[in-house]
Amino acid sequence: MKKISIIIPVYNCEKYISAAIESIINQPVFHLCEMIIVNDGSTDKTAEICEKYVQEHEHIKLIRQENQGVSVARNVGIQNSSGEYIMFLDADDCYVEGVLDEQVLEELEMKYDVVFLSAYSANVSRNRFGINARYRNVVIQGGRSISLPGTFASGIYRRAMLLENEIWFDEHITLNEDQVFMLKALYAAGQIKFCERFSYIYCKTPKPLIYTLRNSRDWFRAWQKAYQWFDEHAVENREQMLAFADLKISARMLLYAKDYAKSVYSKRALLQELERVNSLEMLQNATKNNVLAYQYKDLELFQNDLGKFILLSKLEGYKIFFGRLALKVPMIRAYRDKKIYPYKKVDVNGPEVKDVL
């Protein structure tokens, strides 16, 4: 049995997939890993590139399926894994060189249910880096709500724990499914170890300017699914977990209202849509306790001045749209990158910074 199964869902990522795969192959304990690549119906040269690595390395398995989405692909990877622990790598991200070594194996020998390592972020050009999340070296107990900065993919999950608690990616949503997966895993876990060492590099990739409302709806649908899971599985701190998921639902519904307001010009159209998705009554009756602190003003406007709520939502949408256009100018992007991504290289021990999250 391999110690670690690393699951990579791929779809039309010919530009990045080689770097992702190489970042695993070059790890010191690659011989104790299995790499499971799930090709989710790619139509470019992604499958051809992956096949080349399969032929060269016995530790790499390629699974082909029709395009069904990243959640299905990750679940297929879990089902076909044999490692004691599972890691996830997105095709456009990569691992820090040297992170999968004997020190990580020693952490896993302690039989933690989840081990989280710190993570970097990288700009689109992948020549500058910032801190995505930096943790202290601590051990905590699961069984409660834990909101973490960073990416779920910087975690190493004990496979048996996932299977015993029926923790899968929801296959009917496209956004926030990874955060819900992580929350469920952290709740189900016995002991969770956090490490200062850096493992993951979350790489920004060019995104389309159009952000669909269907994707926006998935944000609160994901937390509705989380609520259902906790309602079925939670015993310890049950009320806390249900309240946490309920808060996320309300907060995401308010965000959806703002997103939809950007596309309409009448109060009636917005109210009809919110009623259609069964969120109007909840938002009309919500209090500050039902949303996040930064949303207090938005909630007050929604309940007392809907016209202004729509206007400000539209202005915010225009600001985001033109801001993204501005970043297409190399000089503006370079200036922004120097502020957000201050480092020119990465290391498992991290840069010399004091901002510990």
Side-chain angles (χ1 to χ4, degrees):
M1 178 180 289
K2 298 298 181 185
K3 191 73 176 179
I4 304 172
S5 296
I6 303 173
I7 297 169
I8 312 178
V10 298
Y11 176 74
N12 289 355
C13 51
E14 61 182 9
K15 184 177 179 180
Y16 306 105
I17 187 57
S18 290
I21 293 174
E22 293 285 350
S23 76
I24 300 174
I25 292 174
N26 295 326
Q27 295 295 332
V29 294
F30 174 60
H31 61 286
L32 296 178
C33 301
E34 67 171 358
M35 189 190 313
I36 302 174
I37 304 172
V38 183
N39 179 28
D40 190 37
S42 297
T43 57
D44 62 0
K45 295 182 179 179
T46 297
E48 180 181 331
I49 295 170
C50 294
E51 187 62 47
K52 172 179 173 290
Y53 284 102
V54 171
Q55 294 174 1
E56 295 174 352
H57 299 275
E58 63 178 353
H59 299 313
I60 302 178
K61 179 192 301 184
L62 177 61
I63 299 173
R64 300 170 181 81
Q65 65 179 34
E66 295 181 358
N67 181 245
Q68 300 177 68
V70 66
S71 292
V72 174
R74 288 182 183 137
N75 287 339
V76 168
I78 295 173
Q79 292 164 357
N80 286 273
S81 64
S82 61
E84 183 179 356
Y85 284 86
I86 291 177
M87 299 180 71
F88 299 94
L89 179 65
D90 284 349
D92 53 354
D93 297 336
C94 55
Y95 288 129
V96 177
E97 182 179 353
V99 66
L100 297 182
D101 59 6
E102 294 297 331
Q103 184 172 338
V104 166
L105 293 183
E106 289 176 4
E107 297 287 359
L108 299 183
E109 288 297 330
M110 300 299 292
K111 302 299 181 183
Y112 299 114
D113 282 327
V114 183
V115 176
F116 258 94
L117 296 97
S118 301
Y120 291 103
S121 58
N123 64 354
V124 171
S125 301
R126 301 189 177 200
N127 59 5
R128 301 195 67 90
F129 305 90
I131 303 296
N132 182 261
R134 190 171 193 173
Y135 306 115
R136 295 184 177 92
N137 289 317
V138 295
V139 177
I140 67 172
Q141 295 294 318
R144 55 196 173 96
S145 60
I146 304 172
S147 294
L148 293 180
T151 170
F152 90 104
S154 65
I156 308 176
Y157 304 87
R158 191 167 65 87
R159 182 175 182 271
M161 182 271 295
L162 296 178
L163 298 181
E164 289 167 4
N165 292 280
E166 301 178 15
I167 299 174
W168 304 92
F169 293 89
D170 192 289
E171 299 179 356
H172 302 289
I173 53 178
T174 58
L175 282 178
N176 232 202
E177 81 292 336
D178 52 355
Q179 292 299 307
V180 172
F181 174 91
M182 179 173 68
L183 179 65
K184 293 189 292 188
L186 293 176
Y187 175 81
Q191 286 195 322
I192 306 162
K193 175 65 184 287
F194 290 90
C195 300
E196 287 184 1
R197 299 182 84 222
F198 282 78
S199 64
Y200 201 86
I201 305 176
Y202 172 71
C203 301
K204 293 288 186 180
T205 53
K207 297 291 192 300
L209 292 178
I210 298 176
Y211 182 80
T212 68
L213 287 169
R214 177 183 180 277
N215 287 341
S216 182
R217 286 199 302 270
D218 278 355
W219 284 92
F220 68 77
R221 286 176 175 169
W223 289 104
Q224 288 174 329
K225 297 287 187 178
Y227 187 98
Q228 293 171 8
W229 188 89
F230 287 119
D231 192 34
E232 295 173 5
H233 294 84
V235 176
E236 185 178 2
N237 297 320
R238 173 183 171 80
E239 294 305 318
Q240 178 200 29
M241 299 308 301
L242 292 175
F244 180 81
D246 200 42
L247 170 65
K248 290 288 189 177
I249 292 171
S250 300
R252 293 301 179 187
M253 281 184 173
L254 185 55
L255 286 176
Y256 178 69
K258 290 188 67 175
D259 278 341
Y260 198 82
K262 297 169 187 175
S263 65
V264 299
Y265 292 92
S266 72
K267 301 177 185 178
R268 180 180 179 183
L270 175 58
L271 294 177
Q272 285 179 337
E273 171 61 17
L274 295 177
E275 187 171 13
R276 187 185 71 82
V277 297
N278 299 317
S279 61
L280 178 58
E281 184 177 355
M282 176 179 288
L283 290 178
Q284 288 176 332
N285 297 323
T287 68
K288 289 184 176 181
N289 293 329
N290 302 124
V291 296
L292 302 174
Y294 78 91
Q295 296 179 305
Y296 291 169
K297 185 177 180 180
D298 290 332
L299 180 62
E300 182 179 357
L301 282 175
F302 177 85
Q303 294 176 338
N304 300 297
D305 193 343
L306 194 58
K308 188 175 182 180
F309 176 85
I310 294 174
L311 175 61
L312 293 181
S313 297
K314 287 185 178 297
L315 291 176
E316 182 180 308
Y318 290 137
K319 180 180 179 181
I320 293 172
F321 178 83
F322 288 111
R324 290 180 177 178
L325 283 181
L327 289 176
K328 290 182 175 292
V329 179
M331 184 179 297
I332 296 176
R333 180 175 287 278
Y335 176 78
R336 194 285 304 263
D337 283 359
K338 286 183 180 180
K339 296 180 66 176
I340 299 180
Y341 308 100
Y343 313 113
K344 293 186 176 181
K345 61 180 181 178
V346 297
D347 184 85
V348 293
N349 296 315
E352 294 296 325
V353 293
K354 303 297 183 181
D355 54 331
V356 178
L357 297 177

